[in-house]
Amino acid sequence: DLDTTSSQNSYIDILNAFRTGKAQVLIGTQMIAKGLDFPRVTLVGAIMADMTLDLPDYRSPERTYQLLVQVAGRAGRAGEEGNVIIQSYKPEHYAVASALKQDYRQFFNEEFARRKKDLYPPFTCMIRMLCEADNALAASQTAMKLKEEIDQFVEEDPVLKRRLLFIKCDKSPIGRIQNKYRMQVLMKILVHPDSERLKAFCAELPLRTWPCSVYYELNPSSMA
């Protein structure tokens, strides 16, 4: 993790120790689940593997499935038989169950149906205006002002009111990162040609002068 790989070559040194057999067990965060090829690894364990399911992000089942499949793929390479042990509080969840069976089609069908039912992308568009500031007040005031601007723009166009499913202003799920306070304006809009005007308006807002940094995100890759 970040604490053990802070020096220049520490990451490479740790992996080399594991690759040569000097270290028999490698413990790490999600970073060791991706892109590493150790032919002699025959056992992988994932602890609290479904923790990501509780994140306030519509992509959380997808991320959980991806992570479990990736970490499972570290075992049983180069013709060796592999075993994977997953600790889960929700083993019945389709993301976990599909990953256990390596069944992409099952996961896709379940996730597709959920997003269609709950109106998540690709059936709608999510727009997030993220505000980051050195103090909480600046972030909060900027987010409220952004929402006022968007509300007024939509109010002046009755057609857009039918395309906007909701808009809210609140704290980002991670309210502070690297001493930056974070607030957001979150919107869900229907996929429709009319909605392009709202997307264009929101994309232009960060170009104005604000008391803090403002970012426009369309279907953000992370809602953190």
Side-chain angles (χ1 to χ4, degrees), residues 17-34:
F18 187 65
R19 182 176 284 108
T20 60
K22 183 179 179 181
Q24 296 293 311
V25 178
L26 181 63
I27 301 173
T29 58
Q30 296 181 15
M31 64 189 296
I32 66 171
K34 305 173 184 179

Side-chain angles (χ1 to χ4, degrees), residues 88-133:
S88 172
Y89 294 100
K90 302 175 182 177
E92 73 286 348
H93 192 282
Y94 64 90
V96 179
S98 299
L100 285 172
K101 294 188 292 185
Q102 302 281 292
D103 190 339
Y104 167 77
R105 180 57 58 183
Q106 176 185 333
F107 173 77
F108 175 84
N109 289 337
E110 293 270 9
E111 180 69 359
F112 188 85
R114 180 188 72 89
R115 292 197 189 186
K116 185 176 183 179
K117 174 178 175 290
D118 296 336
L119 292 177
Y120 283 115
F123 303 99
T124 58
C125 287
M126 302 289 292
I127 295 177
R128 181 165 80 154
M129 310 297 298
L130 179 64
C131 304
E132 291 187 338

Side-chain angles (χ1 to χ4, degrees), residues 143-200:
M144 288 188 290
K145 180 60 177 175
L146 283 167
K147 183 178 182 301
E148 290 175 7
E149 294 269 356
I150 297 168
D151 283 338
Q152 182 178 349
F153 182 78
V154 172
E155 193 66 31
E156 293 171 353
D157 191 335
V159 173
L160 283 182
K161 292 181 69 173
R162 297 198 297 268
R163 310 303 177 202
L164 179 62
L165 297 179
F166 78 75
I167 178 171
K168 64 178 181 179
C169 174
D170 59 11
K171 283 186 178 181
S172 177
I174 301 180
R176 190 179 181 186
I177 295 181
Q178 295 181 342
N179 293 322
K180 294 288 185 179
Y181 293 88
R182 309 166 86 237
M183 291 286 295
Q184 66 182 12
V185 179
L186 190 63
M187 288 165 279
K188 183 189 285 187
I189 61 177
L190 293 174
V191 175
H192 192 278
D194 294 337
S195 302
E196 297 302 315
R197 297 198 301 277
L198 180 55
K199 286 195 264 186

Side-chain angles (χ1 to χ4, degrees), residues 1-12:
D1 61 12
L2 186 62
D3 293 331
T4 57
T5 59
S6 55
S7 62
Q8 183 176 2
N9 296 317
S10 54
Y11 177 69
I12 296 175

